[in-house]
Amino acid sequence: MILVGLTGGIGSGKSTVSAALAERGAVVVDADAIVHELQQPGQPVLAAMVERFGQDILFADGTLDRKAVAAIVFADPDALKALGEIVHPSVQAEIFRRVTENEPTDNIVVLDIPLLAESGWEGLVGTIVVDLDPELAVERLVAHRDYTEEDARARIANQASRETRLADAAFVIDNSGTIADLTPQIDACWEWIEGHR
């Protein structure tokens, strides 16, 4: 198994790069997707979140209202810490399980983790950083993901700085241009990964 990290700030286009690497044959272990799975109705993580933050974080059908959670935790550092204590151990355990499953294979496994710089992960051949000026990230979040500018800035402020991510980078993909500009960079990145076989 070749284990590679993939990270980038919110709005950087990390999901686009992740999907492109999957198309080329990578097994993607996506932390955000795992979070969504663990926050489904009936899951212990969601039950613990409701116990801590109240019924107001649920829609009428019992599913999680992510905007309601964001409104609570991004305004209150203690609430954000509490959310992390509920969610992160279960997410890390599931990531670890999926990575371990791939250990005996010759798969290229991409750990797609927004907070990779903060969490520290051992055994990576390197980390790919999808890089974008934070101001451009704010513009894209407001234009394409229905964020307010204030919410976008609050989320960016709660992540590792651009400088911290870049300091850990073994390969940087610049996503300040178009999708067409991304493709040759992703091809080069795939070659770089393959070079670790």
Side-chain angles (χ1 to χ4, degrees):
M1 170 183 74
I2 297 172
L3 186 61
V4 182
L6 174 66
T7 194
I10 187 168
S12 66
K14 182 177 58 63
S15 300
T16 303
V17 172
S18 180
L21 293 172
E23 281 169 16
R24 286 159 175 77
V27 174
V28 175
V29 178
D30 181 339
D32 283 343
I34 291 170
V35 169
H36 282 256
E37 287 170 29
L38 294 176
Q39 290 176 339
Q40 292 301 311
Q43 292 290 331
V45 167
L46 183 61
M49 287 175 64
V50 171
E51 191 176 315
R52 171 64 175 77
F53 301 111
Q55 292 289 331
D56 289 348
I57 64 167
L58 298 178
F59 288 116
D61 65 359
T63 58
L64 184 63
D65 179 349
R66 293 178 193 288
K67 284 193 173 176
V69 175
I72 295 167
V73 302
F74 289 115
D76 178 353
D78 289 337
L80 184 62
K81 183 171 182 274
L83 178 65
E85 288 167 355
I86 293 167
V87 176
H88 290 156
S90 299
V91 172
Q92 283 205 309
E94 181 59 19
I95 291 170
F96 187 74
R97 188 189 71 74
R98 294 186 191 190
V99 169
T100 305
E101 239 177 34
N102 281 280
E103 272 178 359
T105 72
D106 65 353
N107 291 339
I108 290 171
V109 178
V110 175
L111 274 185
D112 179 346
I113 302 181
L115 303 179
L116 190 65
E118 295 88 332
S119 58
W121 199 279
E122 298 194 357
L124 302 175
V125 299
T127 297
I128 303 157
V129 173
V130 184
D131 184 49
L132 186 65
D133 181 285
E135 290 304 313
L136 188 50
V138 169
E139 280 177 35
R140 289 182 181 178
L141 288 167
V142 171
H144 305 297
R145 299 215 345 227
D146 202 25
Y147 281 71
T148 64
E149 183 177 336
E150 185 183 34
D151 191 25
R153 290 188 188 283
R155 290 186 185 227
I156 287 169
N158 274 298
Q159 294 185 330
S161 70
R162 182 184 191 188
E163 292 73 24
T164 301
R165 272 194 299 272
L166 289 172
D168 291 337
F171 195 100
V172 177
I173 293 176
D174 171 14
N175 192 20
S176 56
T178 65
I179 294 282
D181 296 328
L182 265 185
T183 304
Q185 295 185 76
I186 293 167
D187 287 338
C189 181
W190 187 250
E191 275 181 40
W192 170 77
I193 298 169
E194 288 272 12
H196 290 88
R197 287 203 183 279

